[in-house]
Amino acid sequence: MLGGVKVLSARDVRRAVPMRTAVRAVREAFRELADGSFVLPPRQVFGDGKVLVMSAYHAPTGTAVVKTIGIALDQVPAIRATVVWTGNGTQLVAEGSSITTLRTGAVVGVATDLLAAADAERLTVIGTGAQAPDQVRAVVAARPIADVVLAGRSAERAERLAQELRAEFPEVRFTAGTEVDAAVADAQIICCATSSATPLFSVDALPEHVHVNAIGAFRPTMRELPRDLLADATTVLVDQREAAMEESGEIIDAVTSGTLTTTALVELGEALTTPPTPSGRTVFKSVGVGCQDWAIAAALEHSLHRVAG
């Protein structure tokens, strides 16, 4: 407690909001986003993407969240953030990196539940940084995953992450490696969580039926997905069209080249109201929007209020 303000650590966040709770909260937030319940100012970007500020106001409850993020891709951790949630007579200040990875995992859980095969058992995660564990947790919460391949530039780091996740999910088989094409060849679900400026694989390396989540590229100069995948996909889902066209290198490139039209993009909130019928290859591209942070912070506040009551 600091001057009447509750200050919460990453451990506090994790204890209060497990992944399944986060997925439910984020799903409901996107439904409300589609209904017009949120005011979402554009993300502010400073220093060529080194500092970001995101905010969201939830009109029905009069509550709001503001997140500041510092990004240094050459450091570990690469993301440092703080989330401030205000409303209902309460103000919370929470460690924001944990909220960022949790809400990013949660939105992938929502999208995966919409688009991946119901019996999907094989997951490949490309990238072994801070976002990777919550990508695994979210997909495991959404589908009966039995096998996970972790692919990264460092075999040692990939194996270290595999060991950590084996302890958390003893029923799942984890394999670590560095060969991306081999890692995606038999996948039913793929999660891309890197800062790559060039596509991670070719469309020819993918199975004919696969769902791909891409959350790592958040600048116009970054691209994890090949252009041909966006042209080939039966559904291209985004968290928000406006945000994708401002920040997603893959979407901007595909639209600019004429490979994709903005009308072909399906917003997540729309898909929750009218679920698509997935087939072949499907894609979810997320750059993150403020209602996700609000959803996790609101769930955190609700959990603390319940405990206090």
Short mmCIF file of all heavy atoms in Angstrom, two decimals, residues 212-248:
data_model
loop_
_atom_site.label_atom_id
_atom_site.label_comp_id
_atom_site.label_asym_id
_atom_site.label_seq_id
_atom_site.Cartn_x
_atom_site.Cartn_y
_atom_site.Cartn_z
N VAL A 212 -2.31 -20.10 -37.20
CA VAL A 212 -1.09 -19.37 -36.86
C VAL A 212 -1.44 -18.11 -36.08
O VAL A 212 -2.22 -17.27 -36.57
CB VAL A 212 -0.29 -18.99 -38.12
CG1 VAL A 212 1.00 -18.26 -37.74
CG2 VAL A 212 0.02 -20.22 -38.96
N ASN A 213 -0.88 -17.97 -34.89
CA ASN A 213 -0.97 -16.74 -34.10
C ASN A 213 0.35 -15.99 -34.23
O ASN A 213 1.42 -16.60 -34.11
CB ASN A 213 -1.20 -17.05 -32.62
CG ASN A 213 -2.48 -17.82 -32.38
OD1 ASN A 213 -3.57 -17.35 -32.68
ND2 ASN A 213 -2.36 -19.03 -31.84
N ALA A 214 0.29 -14.69 -34.42
CA ALA A 214 1.51 -13.88 -34.51
C ALA A 214 1.37 -12.67 -33.60
O ALA A 214 0.51 -11.82 -33.83
CB ALA A 214 1.77 -13.44 -35.95
N ILE A 215 2.22 -12.59 -32.58
CA ILE A 215 2.09 -11.51 -31.59
C ILE A 215 3.39 -10.73 -31.38
O ILE A 215 3.40 -9.73 -30.68
CB ILE A 215 1.59 -12.06 -30.23
CG1 ILE A 215 2.56 -13.11 -29.65
CG2 ILE A 215 0.20 -12.66 -30.39
CD1 ILE A 215 3.60 -12.57 -28.73
N GLY A 216 4.49 -11.18 -32.01
CA GLY A 216 5.77 -10.57 -31.69
C GLY A 216 6.03 -9.25 -32.39
O GLY A 216 6.59 -8.33 -31.80
N ALA A 217 5.66 -9.12 -33.66
CA ALA A 217 5.95 -7.92 -34.44
C ALA A 217 4.94 -6.82 -34.11
O ALA A 217 3.75 -6.99 -34.31
CB ALA A 217 5.91 -8.24 -35.93
N PHE A 218 5.42 -5.70 -33.59
CA PHE A 218 4.52 -4.62 -33.17
C PHE A 218 4.91 -3.27 -33.79
O PHE A 218 4.41 -2.23 -33.38
CB PHE A 218 4.52 -4.51 -31.64
CG PHE A 218 5.89 -4.23 -31.06
CD1 PHE A 218 6.30 -2.94 -30.83
CD2 PHE A 218 6.75 -5.27 -30.78
CE1 PHE A 218 7.56 -2.67 -30.31
CE2 PHE A 218 8.01 -5.02 -30.25
CZ PHE A 218 8.41 -3.72 -30.02
N ARG A 219 5.79 -3.30 -34.78
CA ARG A 219 6.17 -2.08 -35.50
C ARG A 219 5.99 -2.31 -37.00
O ARG A 219 6.09 -3.45 -37.47
CB ARG A 219 7.64 -1.74 -35.23
CG ARG A 219 7.99 -1.45 -33.79
CD ARG A 219 9.49 -1.24 -33.64
NE ARG A 219 9.88 -1.03 -32.25
CZ ARG A 219 11.14 -1.05 -31.83
NH1 ARG A 219 12.12 -1.27 -32.69
NH2 ARG A 219 11.42 -0.85 -30.55
N PRO A 220 5.78 -1.26 -37.77
CA PRO A 220 5.63 -1.42 -39.22
C PRO A 220 6.84 -2.05 -39.90
O PRO A 220 6.71 -2.63 -40.99
CB PRO A 220 5.40 0.02 -39.71
CG PRO A 220 4.81 0.72 -38.54
CD PRO A 220 5.48 0.13 -37.33
N THR A 221 8.01 -1.96 -39.29
CA THR A 221 9.22 -2.52 -39.88
C THR A 221 9.45 -3.99 -39.53
O THR A 221 10.41 -4.60 -39.99
CB THR A 221 10.45 -1.72 -39.41
OG1 THR A 221 10.48 -1.70 -37.97
CG2 THR A 221 10.40 -0.29 -39.95
N MET A 222 8.58 -4.56 -38.72
CA MET A 222 8.75 -5.94 -38.25
C MET A 222 7.77 -6.87 -38.97
O MET A 222 6.63 -6.48 -39.24
CB MET A 222 8.55 -6.01 -36.73
CG MET A 222 9.51 -5.12 -35.95
SD MET A 222 9.02 -4.91 -34.20
CE MET A 222 9.58 -6.46 -33.52
N ARG A 223 8.22 -8.09 -39.26
CA ARG A 223 7.34 -9.06 -39.93
C ARG A 223 7.72 -10.47 -39.52
O ARG A 223 8.85 -10.90 -39.72
CB ARG A 223 7.48 -8.95 -41.46
CG ARG A 223 6.82 -7.73 -42.09
CD ARG A 223 7.13 -7.66 -43.57
NE ARG A 223 6.64 -8.83 -44.28
CZ ARG A 223 7.00 -9.13 -45.53
NH1 ARG A 223 7.88 -8.39 -46.16
NH2 ARG A 223 6.50 -10.20 -46.13
N GLU A 224 6.77 -11.19 -38.96
CA GLU A 224 6.98 -12.60 -38.62
C GLU A 224 6.37 -13.53 -39.68
O GLU A 224 6.82 -14.66 -39.84
CB GLU A 224 6.34 -12.92 -37.28
CG GLU A 224 6.99 -12.23 -36.09
CD GLU A 224 6.39 -12.65 -34.78
OE1 GLU A 224 5.18 -12.39 -34.57
OE2 GLU A 224 7.11 -13.25 -33.97
N LEU A 225 5.35 -13.07 -40.39
CA LEU A 225 4.60 -13.92 -41.29
C LEU A 225 4.92 -13.61 -42.75
O LEU A 225 5.08 -12.45 -43.13
CB LEU A 225 3.10 -13.73 -41.07
CG LEU A 225 2.59 -13.94 -39.65
CD1 LEU A 225 1.09 -13.71 -39.60
CD2 LEU A 225 2.93 -15.34 -39.15
N PRO A 226 4.96 -14.64 -43.61
CA PRO A 226 5.16 -14.41 -45.04
C PRO A 226 3.89 -13.83 -45.67
O PRO A 226 2.78 -14.16 -45.26
CB PRO A 226 5.47 -15.80 -45.59
CG PRO A 226 4.82 -16.73 -44.64
CD PRO A 226 4.89 -16.08 -43.29
N ARG A 227 4.09 -12.97 -46.65
CA ARG A 227 2.96 -12.34 -47.35
C ARG A 227 2.02 -13.39 -47.93
O ARG A 227 0.79 -13.25 -47.88
CB ARG A 227 3.51 -11.43 -48.46
CG ARG A 227 2.45 -10.66 -49.21
CD ARG A 227 3.07 -9.95 -50.40
NE ARG A 227 4.05 -8.94 -50.00
CZ ARG A 227 4.83 -8.28 -50.88
NH1 ARG A 227 4.75 -8.58 -52.16
NH2 ARG A 227 5.69 -7.39 -50.43
N ASP A 228 2.60 -14.48 -48.48
CA ASP A 228 1.77 -15.50 -49.13
C ASP A 228 0.82 -16.18 -48.15
O ASP A 228 -0.24 -16.66 -48.55
CB ASP A 228 2.66 -16.56 -49.77
CG ASP A 228 3.42 -16.03 -50.98
OD1 ASP A 228 3.11 -14.90 -51.41
OD2 ASP A 228 4.32 -16.73 -51.47
N LEU A 229 1.19 -16.25 -46.87
CA LEU A 229 0.29 -16.86 -45.90
C LEU A 229 -0.97 -16.02 -45.74
O LEU A 229 -2.08 -16.56 -45.65
CB LEU A 229 1.00 -17.02 -44.55
CG LEU A 229 0.12 -17.51 -43.39
CD1 LEU A 229 -0.50 -18.86 -43.72
CD2 LEU A 229 0.92 -17.58 -42.10
N LEU A 230 -0.81 -14.70 -45.70
CA LEU A 230 -1.98 -13.83 -45.56
C LEU A 230 -2.86 -13.90 -46.80
O LEU A 230 -4.08 -13.78 -46.71
CB LEU A 230 -1.52 -12.40 -45.30
CG LEU A 230 -0.75 -12.22 -43.99
CD1 LEU A 230 -0.20 -10.80 -43.88
CD2 LEU A 230 -1.62 -12.54 -42.80
N ALA A 231 -2.25 -14.11 -47.96
CA ALA A 231 -3.03 -14.27 -49.19
C ALA A 231 -3.77 -15.61 -49.21
O ALA A 231 -4.90 -15.71 -49.71
CB ALA A 231 -2.11 -14.16 -50.40
N ASP A 232 -3.14 -16.63 -48.64
CA ASP A 232 -3.67 -17.99 -48.68
C ASP A 232 -4.70 -18.28 -47.59
O ASP A 232 -5.56 -19.15 -47.74
CB ASP A 232 -2.49 -18.97 -48.56
CG ASP A 232 -2.92 -20.42 -48.52
OD1 ASP A 232 -3.41 -20.91 -49.56
OD2 ASP A 232 -2.79 -21.05 -47.46
N ALA A 233 -4.62 -17.55 -46.47
CA ALA A 233 -5.44 -17.85 -45.30
C ALA A 233 -6.93 -17.68 -45.59
O ALA A 233 -7.34 -16.72 -46.26
CB ALA A 233 -5.03 -16.96 -44.14
N THR A 234 -7.73 -18.59 -45.07
CA THR A 234 -9.18 -18.47 -45.24
C THR A 234 -9.76 -17.43 -44.30
O THR A 234 -10.82 -16.86 -44.58
CB THR A 234 -9.86 -19.82 -44.98
OG1 THR A 234 -9.54 -20.27 -43.65
CG2 THR A 234 -9.39 -20.86 -45.98
N THR A 235 -9.10 -17.19 -43.17
CA THR A 235 -9.50 -16.14 -42.22
C THR A 235 -8.25 -15.43 -41.73
O THR A 235 -7.30 -16.07 -41.31
CB THR A 235 -10.25 -16.73 -41.00
OG1 THR A 235 -11.41 -17.44 -41.44
CG2 THR A 235 -10.67 -15.61 -40.04
N VAL A 236 -8.27 -14.10 -41.80
CA VAL A 236 -7.21 -13.28 -41.19
C VAL A 236 -7.88 -12.44 -40.10
O VAL A 236 -8.62 -11.50 -40.39
CB VAL A 236 -6.50 -12.38 -42.20
CG1 VAL A 236 -5.44 -11.52 -41.50
CG2 VAL A 236 -5.85 -13.21 -43.30
N LEU A 237 -7.64 -12.82 -38.87
CA LEU A 237 -8.25 -12.20 -37.71
C LEU A 237 -7.27 -11.20 -37.11
O LEU A 237 -6.07 -11.47 -37.02
CB LEU A 237 -8.58 -13.29 -36.69
CG LEU A 237 -9.46 -12.97 -35.49
CD1 LEU A 237 -10.87 -12.64 -35.94
CD2 LEU A 237 -9.48 -14.18 -34.54
N VAL A 238 -7.77 -10.03 -36.71
CA VAL A 238 -6.94 -9.02 -36.04
C VAL A 238 -7.66 -8.55 -34.80
O VAL A 238 -8.88 -8.66 -34.69
CB VAL A 238 -6.63 -7.82 -36.96
CG1 VAL A 238 -5.79 -8.23 -38.15
CG2 VAL A 238 -7.92 -7.13 -37.43
N ASP A 239 -6.90 -8.01 -33.84
CA ASP A 239 -7.57 -7.50 -32.65
C ASP A 239 -8.38 -6.25 -32.99
O ASP A 239 -9.50 -6.08 -32.53
CB ASP A 239 -6.58 -7.23 -31.49
CG ASP A 239 -5.23 -6.75 -31.92
OD1 ASP A 239 -5.11 -6.13 -33.00
OD2 ASP A 239 -4.26 -7.00 -31.18
N GLN A 240 -7.82 -5.39 -33.85
CA GLN A 240 -8.54 -4.18 -34.27
C GLN A 240 -7.95 -3.73 -35.61
O GLN A 240 -6.73 -3.63 -35.75
CB GLN A 240 -8.39 -3.08 -33.21
CG GLN A 240 -9.26 -1.86 -33.44
CD GLN A 240 -8.98 -0.79 -32.41
OE1 GLN A 240 -7.83 -0.44 -32.16
NE2 GLN A 240 -10.03 -0.25 -31.80
N ARG A 241 -8.79 -3.45 -36.60
CA ARG A 241 -8.28 -3.06 -37.92
C ARG A 241 -7.39 -1.83 -37.84
O ARG A 241 -6.31 -1.79 -38.44
CB ARG A 241 -9.45 -2.77 -38.88
CG ARG A 241 -10.21 -3.98 -39.34
CD ARG A 241 -11.22 -3.64 -40.42
NE ARG A 241 -12.12 -4.76 -40.65
CZ ARG A 241 -13.26 -4.95 -40.00
NH1 ARG A 241 -13.63 -4.09 -39.06
NH2 ARG A 241 -14.01 -6.00 -40.24
N GLU A 242 -7.86 -0.80 -37.16
CA GLU A 242 -7.11 0.45 -37.10
C GLU A 242 -5.73 0.23 -36.51
O GLU A 242 -4.72 0.72 -37.03
CB GLU A 242 -7.87 1.48 -36.26
CG GLU A 242 -7.18 2.83 -36.15
CD GLU A 242 -7.94 3.80 -35.27
OE1 GLU A 242 -9.00 3.42 -34.73
OE2 GLU A 242 -7.48 4.93 -35.11
N ALA A 243 -5.65 -0.52 -35.42
CA ALA A 243 -4.37 -0.79 -34.79
C ALA A 243 -3.47 -1.62 -35.70
O ALA A 243 -2.26 -1.36 -35.80
CB ALA A 243 -4.59 -1.50 -33.46
N ALA A 244 -4.04 -2.61 -36.38
CA ALA A 244 -3.25 -3.45 -37.28
C ALA A 244 -2.67 -2.64 -38.42
O ALA A 244 -1.51 -2.81 -38.81
CB ALA A 244 -4.11 -4.59 -37.81
N MET A 245 -3.46 -1.72 -38.97
CA MET A 245 -3.00 -0.91 -40.10
C MET A 245 -1.99 0.14 -39.67
O MET A 245 -1.23 0.66 -40.50
CB MET A 245 -4.19 -0.25 -40.79
CG MET A 245 -5.02 -1.21 -41.62
SD MET A 245 -4.04 -2.09 -42.88
CE MET A 245 -3.38 -0.72 -43.84
N GLU A 246 -1.95 0.45 -38.39
CA GLU A 246 -0.96 1.41 -37.89
C GLU A 246 0.36 0.73 -37.51
O GLU A 246 1.43 1.32 -37.69
CB GLU A 246 -1.52 2.13 -36.65
CG GLU A 246 -2.55 3.19 -36.94
CD GLU A 246 -1.95 4.44 -37.57
OE1 GLU A 246 -0.79 4.77 -37.26
OE2 GLU A 246 -2.64 5.07 -38.39
N GLU A 247 0.29 -0.51 -37.02
CA GLU A 247 1.44 -1.08 -36.34
C GLU A 247 1.92 -2.43 -36.85
O GLU A 247 3.07 -2.81 -36.58
CB GLU A 247 1.14 -1.19 -34.84
CG GLU A 247 0.84 0.15 -34.20
CD GLU A 247 0.32 0.01 -32.78
OE1 GLU A 247 0.16 -1.12 -32.32
OE2 GLU A 247 0.08 1.04 -32.14
N SER A 248 1.10 -3.20 -37.53
CA SER A 248 1.49 -4.54 -37.95
C SER A 248 2.23 -4.50 -39.28
O SER A 248 1.64 -4.22 -40.33
CB SER A 248 0.26 -5.44 -38.08
OG SER A 248 0.62 -6.65 -38.73
#
